[in-house]
Amino acid sequence: MRPSVARQSEMPGPKVYSLWWGDRTIPKQKGVVEYTISAYRAKAAPHMLRNYLFNGYRRLSGELVFWLIPFGMGYGIYTWAKKTDAYHHSKAAHVAAGVEHD
Amino acid sequence: MRLLKTHVLLRFLNSYVVDSPQPANISYLWNFGSLLALCLIIQILTGAFLAMHYSPNVDFAFNSVEHIMRDVNNGWIIRYTHANVASFFFIFVYMHVGRGLYYGSYKSPRVLVWSIGVIILILMMAIAFLGYVLPYGQMSLWGATVITNLLSAIPIFGVDIVELIWGGFSVSNATLNRFFSLHYLLPFLLAALALAHLIALHVHGSNNPNGVTSNGDRYAMHPYFIFKDLVTIFAFLLVLSVIVFFYPNLLGHSDNYIPADPMVTPASIVPEWYLLPFYAILRSIPNKLLGVLAMFGSLLILLILPLTDLSRIRGNQFRPAMKLAFWFFVVDFIILLWIGSQHPESPYLEIGQIATTFYFAWFLVLVPIIGIAENTLLDVATADKTNK
Ligand code: HEM
């Protein structure tokens, strides 16, 4: 097989992206650049600890402010509701509402 | 050339999961699609084996499930797996949808992918509801009674529709039989829709965290993303094993271990956890018909996002105001989930109503307003001030 066969065929790759049902020829995509390295050189999870833990922490902590405000408010609503509900079901609330206790 | 690339069928496989070029910068949030596919496969397989021992009759259903749990070899693994993967299916689909919301994946040119997704979501909920009725415990019967009764709110022929669905005058043997039939059938429709979802996706390929085209930097699906998908697949299988073997009833309701009894109503009737947010929206509206419309509307409103997101920028990566709005929406969803599990009394009732209002306002008011504000600020900042 000459290398140019692959480029002219329907073989998906950098210039031919996706097959569509029933297509005989596929519209060529422009400007798709695909990188790859030899399978013998590829490492499964390079620098796993550094990437997953430390870089992950760096990326997530940057978003912290966007979480703290909504989740803080949500937690506030949750605790307030629990407290209010507990009061509604307490003897004090029943007395305050004028309900008789035996 | 290799068979994989020329064979009339294998070349589809090649195009989808081998050579397909993926954006180099997609994060782990793009892994939920493959997890969802795995969940669907697990559900269909375990479901087929459960059906070999299950009996869809009001007199035998509960006992046949107990028979699976006690007598069938490894039946308990099959059943607990089926029940818990249903929960993980929803965890994953909510994360998957959340990713789409955050990164603007619903925007053109992926509107069709998104719209098929919304149909999938609604169908998933229907299937889960039907499946929950099958063991015919107390919560099965009463959950089915409450939810089917909702349709009686339809004007004029509502009651006729409900009786048509029941096949009688209450949830009964006929109902259980048809629910079993549909619960077996519909997942295959789901599988077909998932394929359509992928076909639609592959016209333009995946979005990525930056929201701009990734054509300039792509890796092949295999081996890079096959391996990455496997990372989360094995992580999922690990967590699933812990749940199935050590906490199999963590997410279930104990009332469903009581055989269905039409003469005894449970103290509270609650759906499975993943339906609670929509249950909360339903109960927030005093009028029955409007409540039902709001519940279905809360799912269908996802379809409107391609229209109401007016921002010129795809995704929230570079939009701090929208990031904040997104997390408020997430918290609102969690609040609705929690409210759905509470008795409808003060203050839960009022919180549910406010959260419901926010839910709809997010799509119809917040998203467009933030988009317009950003566009305007951008125009002001880049306007040519020299020729004033
Ligand atoms: C059975 C359920 C589903 C399955 C098996 C499924 C499968 C997939 C797969 C394999 C992908 C590509 C990988 C990825 O981006 O994760 C994907 C992408 C996508 N899905 Fe789903 N999906 C399901 C449900 C949904 C739902 C309910 C929605 C939305 C309401 C949705 C919306 C999308 C969108 C917008 C994309 C493109 C995302 C992007 O490229 O940024 N999907 N889906």
Side-chain angles (χ1 to χ4, degrees):
Chain A
M1 183 184 100
R2 281 184 294 142
S4 57
V5 172
R7 299 210 51 200
Q8 285 153 14
S9 75
E10 299 175 355
M11 183 180 127
K15 303 292 174 197
V16 180
Y17 183 43
S18 291
L19 292 163
W20 191 243
W21 300 100
D23 271 356
R24 313 273 309 275
T25 56
I26 299 137
K28 302 256 192 291
Q29 298 252 337
K30 282 187 191 151
V32 176
V33 183
E34 195 179 329
Y35 296 95
T36 192
I37 51 171
S38 156
Y40 299 107
R41 298 218 128 216
K43 270 186 87 178
H47 315 301
M48 197 155 120
L49 213 63
R50 186 163 79 217
N51 281 347
Y52 286 20
L53 284 180
F54 298 110
N55 198 34
Y57 171 76
R58 183 192 63 78
R59 289 169 63 186
L60 293 177
S61 60
E63 306 290 323
L64 217 59
V65 60
F66 299 108
W67 296 335
L68 283 182
I69 301 169
F71 279 94
M73 273 182 69
Y75 187 68
I77 292 169
Y78 176 79
T79 46
W80 172 81
K82 287 266 169 213
K83 225 175 60 195
T84 311
D85 183 56
Y87 172 72
H88 281 332
H89 289 281
S90 71
K91 192 166 182 177
H94 292 180
V95 170
V99 182
E100 296 272 324
H101 266 278
D102 296 320
Chain B
M1 249 203 274
R2 284 173 63 195
L3 197 61
L4 190 62
K5 294 173 183 180
T6 51
H7 186 272
V8 65
L9 290 175
L10 287 185
R11 62 184 202 159
F12 284 111
L13 193 75
N14 180 64
S15 156
Y16 276 79
V17 290
V18 183
D19 275 342
S20 172
Q22 304 295 330
N25 61 334
I26 50 177
S27 69
Y28 268 101
L29 290 170
W30 270 257
N31 280 31
F32 290 104
S34 63
L35 286 169
L36 285 165
L38 178 67
C39 282
L40 184 57
I41 293 167
I42 294 178
Q43 288 306 75
I44 288 180
L45 286 179
T46 51
F49 284 102
L50 285 173
M52 294 174 192
H53 302 275
Y54 172 76
S55 179
N57 180 296
V58 284
D59 292 329
F60 304 125
F62 188 89
N63 287 336
S64 71
V65 172
E66 281 310 300
H67 162 70
I68 291 169
M69 296 289 285
R70 293 157 196 243
D71 309 328
V72 175
N73 290 336
N74 297 312
W76 59 277
I77 297 186
I78 309 268
R79 190 210 171 199
Y80 277 152
T81 303
H82 197 75
N84 283 293
V85 170
S87 277
F88 279 101
F89 212 149
F90 279 94
I91 294 175
F92 295 153
V93 89
Y94 289 148
M95 300 290 282
H96 191 69
V97 174
R99 181 281 316 267
L101 290 176
Y102 192 86
Y103 289 111
S105 301
Y106 48 80
K107 279 196 156 192
S108 173
R110 276 170 278 272
V111 178
L112 182 61
V113 187
W114 177 257
S115 306
I116 296 174
V118 175
I119 299 170
I120 288 178
L121 183 63
I122 296 171
L123 189 63
M124 262 178 74
M125 292 185 171
I127 295 172
F129 163 72
L130 293 171
Y132 194 61
V133 180
L134 301 185
Y136 222 55
Q138 272 291 66
M139 214 50 97
S140 302
L141 171 64
W142 291 98
T145 303
V146 168
I147 300 299
T148 49
N149 255 310
L150 293 178
L151 296 174
S152 71
I154 298 171
I156 304 170
F157 43 78
V159 175
D160 293 324
I161 289 188
V162 175
E163 286 173 2
L164 188 73
I165 289 174
W166 283 337
F169 301 98
S170 68
V171 175
S172 59
N173 196 49
T175 325
L176 185 63
N177 254 290
R178 59 190 58 185
F179 277 20
F180 178 49
S181 168
L182 290 173
H183 184 69
Y184 207 132
L185 174 70
L186 293 180
F188 294 96
L189 186 60
L190 196 65
L193 282 169
L195 269 184
H197 190 62
L198 281 185
I199 294 170
L201 177 71
H202 276 232
V203 178
H204 295 276
S206 286
N207 183 23
N208 69 83
N210 288 336
V212 292
T213 179
S214 59
N215 277 357
D217 189 7
R218 290 182 178 239
Y219 292 148
M221 182 79 187
H222 180 79
Y224 298 99
F225 292 101
I226 294 288
F227 185 85
K228 192 180 177 184
D229 281 341
L230 282 175
V231 172
T232 44
I233 282 174
F234 283 117
F236 162 50
L237 294 179
L238 183 69
V239 175
L240 177 67
S241 308
V242 172
I243 299 280
V244 165
F245 292 125
F246 296 101
Y247 309 98
N249 291 306
L250 185 70
L251 298 164
H253 199 294
S254 48
D255 275 11
N256 227 27
Y257 281 102
I258 304 169
D261 183 350
M263 305 300 283
V264 181
T265 319
S268 68
I269 301 172
V270 282
E272 292 270 82
W273 71 266
Y274 39 79
L275 300 179
L276 287 172
F278 308 97
Y279 193 54
I281 290 175
L282 169 80
R283 294 195 305 178
S284 289
I285 294 172
N287 180 290
K288 192 172 173 183
L289 179 60
L290 292 181
V292 174
L293 288 177
M295 184 180 73
F296 285 111
S298 64
L299 290 164
L300 291 172
I301 202 167
L302 288 165
L303 293 171
I304 214 174
L305 270 174
L307 297 175
T308 58
D309 184 352
L310 299 172
S311 175
R312 290 186 201 125
I313 301 171
R314 180 190 287 117
N316 296 353
Q317 182 84 303
F318 307 109
R319 303 168 63 201
M322 205 47 225
K323 273 189 184 176
L324 202 59
F326 172 83
W327 289 110
F328 267 112
F329 182 75
V330 171
V331 169
D332 190 65
F333 190 76
I334 297 172
I335 286 179
L336 282 169
L337 198 157
W338 156 62
I339 293 295
S341 69
Q342 303 296 318
H343 287 294
E345 58 187 19
S346 182
Y348 301 124
L349 197 64
E350 292 82 357
I351 294 175
Q353 288 173 337
I354 295 168
T356 300
T357 312
F358 182 85
Y359 182 95
F360 287 102
W362 191 82
F363 291 91
L364 298 173
V365 182
L366 221 52
V367 167
I369 282 189
I370 291 176
I372 293 172
E374 284 171 353
N375 293 349
T376 312
L377 287 174
L378 199 72
D379 288 342
V380 170
T382 55
D384 189 357
K385 299 183 183 83
T386 49
N387 55 6
K388 267 207 183 128

